[in-house]
Amino acid sequence: MALGAVLFDCDGVLVDSEIVGLEDSAEFLRSKGFSWSPEDLIRLFTGKRDDRFKAELLDAYAGLLGRAPSTEEANCLYEGLIEARRANRHKMLPVTGAVEMMAAVAAAGVPRAVASSSQQVHLDSKIDRFGFRPYVGEHVYSAQYVEHGKPAPDIFLSAAERLGVAPDSCIVIEDSPFGVEAGVAAGMQVWGFIGGGHCLEGHAKRLLAAGALRIHVSHFALQQELFSVIKEH
Ligand SMILES: [Mg+2]
């Protein structure tokens, strides 16, 4: 393929955020009657935009209560869960080797962007805080501004358009099945990444089943593979 751009997911690829606050989240949910483990939370919600995450959470809550939750109950559940994660934000770290990988891709002059389900304000804060900004500049795109979140292709198509490259010339790096599906739906080549702390046994299989072409266990491996594609051109 002629490489037009590399599009990176943020959470679970660049920043090891998916694992942060999981225990507290599961504990909070247990206090509300749920019996989800941290692993269940990863499987159910990783890579989803807020609106979808919230809708699925409230559906499950309704199932648990045997009726629709009141607005107050719904807000209390959702806000409480967000708070459980937010309280752990200081524990967030970049995925090992992610900044170095991005710097190398930037030095090679390959067009690149971050395309994430995270809200723009949180996304920008992670990109700045962990040192990615010099290598991605303003090409940091949130699914907040497109019609449909992942697994719809909107965010990746929008990122390709902003970079001025054809979708089928893009490689997407994703850690969640929904993100992989989104990249495939955009007509892009998707590489699965399982170097995040939340990637448990069977994760690679799930990414391959969602349409990932290959799997990388670390940024070192990803960087090598990216450069073998870059050198072909
Ligand atoms: Mg992700």
Side-chain angles (χ1 to χ4, degrees), residues 97-141:
V99 177
E100 293 81 353
M101 177 280 306
M102 188 69 89
V105 171
V110 178
R112 62 221 165 265
V114 178
S116 167
S117 298
S118 188
Q119 284 181 32
Q120 190 78 50
V121 57
H122 301 312
L123 179 58
D124 279 325
S125 134
K126 285 177 269 197
I127 293 301
D128 288 329
R129 175 175 160 194
F130 297 116
F132 293 102
R133 184 67 74 186
Y135 312 115
V136 289
E138 297 312 305
H139 296 296
V140 176
Y141 303 117

Side-chain angles (χ1 to χ4, degrees), residues 96-98 101 173 191-195 214-229:
T96 304
M101 177 280 306
I173 313 298
W191 294 3
F193 182 81
I194 58 166
R214 57 188 80 180
I215 299 291
H216 297 293
V217 298
S218 70
H219 278 297
F220 180 72
L222 169 64
Q223 187 175 326
Q224 285 203 317
E225 192 74 24
L226 272 177
F227 274 76
S228 74
V229 173

Side-chain angles (χ1 to χ4, degrees), residues 152-154 156-157 167-168 172 181-188:
D154 304 25
F156 288 126
L157 291 174
D168 66 1
V172 166
E181 283 175 35
V184 170
M188 299 174 178

Side-chain angles (χ1 to χ4, degrees), residues 9-15 17-18 46-48 115-117 150 173-176 179 198:
D9 175 47
C10 178
D11 296 290
V13 171
L14 301 179
V15 181
S17 45
E18 299 290 8
T46 298
K48 289 183 185 172
S116 167
S117 298
K150 299 171 186 178
I173 313 298
E174 263 290 352
D175 70 299
S176 77
H198 65 296

